Amino acid sequence: MKRSRERAASELFAALYPRLAGWCRRLVDDDGTAHEIASEAFTRLWARWTSVEEPRGFLYVTAANLVRDHWRKLERERRAVRQVTAEAAVRPPQEQADPSVRMLVQSLPEKLRVPILLHYYADMPIREVSVLTGRKEGTVKADLHAARELLRVHLRRSVDHTP
């Protein structure tokens, strides 16, 4: 019994780790961090191995949460650097808001962010996102539409430089 579970875990790792790490790499733009996040997602899966019904979904949702935490940490670091820089020099002109799509996706509510990450960043079809999130396909489509609209508004504001 234990051997078959270990073999199944090993096969799952071999099948999913490269794609998961690649997906994380596209989100965090750093190989080392991407591998840390993918490894941590698998570590959390192994800790719950017997109670997780959908390992692939668990891995991607866990990785998405870890990526979000990484983005938050980077933003805190950026703010700290900006604050130190501002204190060391004469107050610089007002900085424009960061219009990067990555930061905008991070700012989405989780209900909208997870489907965006799974569909657009992990290249999962809507049907699969529906299964992984436990939502109906129509709901996933509506969430994706709402997220795109929010992103469009934010991007337009950052381009127009309006609050």
Side-chain angles (χ1 to χ4, degrees), residues 107-162:
S107 72
L108 290 171
E110 184 170 356
K111 173 187 174 206
L112 303 178
R113 184 180 58 248
V114 171
I116 286 283
L117 290 173
L118 294 175
H119 184 65
Y120 290 107
Y121 288 86
D123 298 323
M124 291 185 187
I126 289 173
R127 180 179 306 116
E128 195 167 348
V129 174
S130 170
V131 170
L132 294 177
T133 60
R135 297 183 194 143
K136 294 181 179 180
E137 286 185 41
T139 303
V140 170
K141 289 176 185 178
D143 288 346
L144 289 170
H145 176 75
R148 286 191 304 267
E149 287 301 311
L150 279 174
L151 293 172
R152 186 175 294 121
V153 167
H154 287 296
L155 284 170
R156 192 169 292 133
R157 283 184 187 156
S158 65
V159 169
D160 294 341
H161 306 297
T162 59

